[in-house]
Amino acid sequence: MGALKNYWSSLESRERLVLSWGALIVAAILIYVLIWQPWRHALSFMELSVKQMRADSVWMTQQAQAMKNGGVGASEQKYKGAEQSLVSLIQQTAKQAKVDKVIQQIVPNQQNGEVRVVLEGVAFNQWVKWVDQLYKIYGVDIQQINAEKDDEKPNIAEIRVVFARK
């Protein structure tokens, strides 16, 4: 420690000023990187967690109330297009999602209510949005899928999928 005091006193006032400012800047950077930034990150994460927990709590309260009312709505959901045939529903929603032009084949299976669809040259992201809509709004689920990307065109695929109602 004595050597450090001797070194400090041997410096000119200008050098001491520069070293002092440098030490302050390094200390500020260390405080930011080691304390402030992790604290803000943790705080943001906790805020998101609280929002998610509140949403979960609301959902659980709704489900508990539905169960008290005889279970209607707790396990059964009413989907749009339930009275419509699966083939016409797929055609209608494909047109809305603008994937109807790439549908090469729609084959219904009368025995189990499934519908096989072949799409060639479909934009994969657009197809995913369509399938998400089918699942969430209409209660149509994927039973089987085979997707192959086009090597020459990015985001383009050939997809064979079997749909069925939940």
Side-chain angles (χ1 to χ4, degrees), residues 86-87 90 106-109 112-117 161-164:
L86 187 54
V87 173
I90 288 172
I106 298 179
V107 181
N109 185 339
N112 57 11
E114 296 177 343
V115 176
R116 182 175 176 266
V117 180
V161 61
V162 177
F163 291 112

Side-chain angles (χ1 to χ4, degrees), residues 82-134:
E83 69 287 341
Q84 199 174 357
S85 77
L86 187 54
V87 173
S88 65
L89 181 66
I90 288 172
Q91 290 172 334
Q92 174 191 342
T93 56
K95 192 171 190 175
Q96 290 170 352
K98 297 183 174 89
V99 295
D100 60 324
K101 303 279 191 255
V102 293
I103 293 179
Q104 300 300 313
Q105 191 177 32
I106 298 179
V107 181
N109 185 339
Q110 301 300 332
Q111 295 168 339
N112 57 11
E114 296 177 343
V115 176
R116 182 175 176 266
V117 180
V118 177
L119 303 99
E120 290 183 8
V122 65
F124 188 76
N125 292 340
Q126 195 173 11
W127 177 83
V128 168
K129 289 178 186 174
W130 174 55
V131 170
D132 185 54
Q133 177 189 25
L134 281 173

Side-chain angles (χ1 to χ4, degrees), residues 31-47:
I31 288 171
Y32 177 79
V33 169
L34 297 176
I35 297 171
W36 182 259
Q37 192 177 27
W39 178 71
R40 293 296 301 164
H41 178 71
L43 188 63
S44 297
F45 179 76
M46 285 188 265
E47 287 172 354

Side-chain angles (χ1 to χ4, degrees), residues 17-18 29 44-45 49-50 64 78-79 82 87 103 116 118 122 136 143 148 151 161 163:
L17 183 64
V18 169
I29 290 171
S44 297
F45 179 76
S49 296
V50 167
K78 299 292 181 193
Y79 293 105
V87 173
I103 293 179
R116 182 175 176 266
V118 177
V122 65
K136 289 180 179 174
Q143 299 299 310
E148 296 176 19
D151 291 331
V161 61
F163 291 112

Side-chain angles (χ1 to χ4, degrees), residues 10-22:
S10 70
L11 293 175
E12 291 184 25
S13 64
R14 191 173 3 133
E15 291 173 329
R16 280 186 241 159
L17 183 64
V18 169
L19 282 176
S20 297
W21 278 107

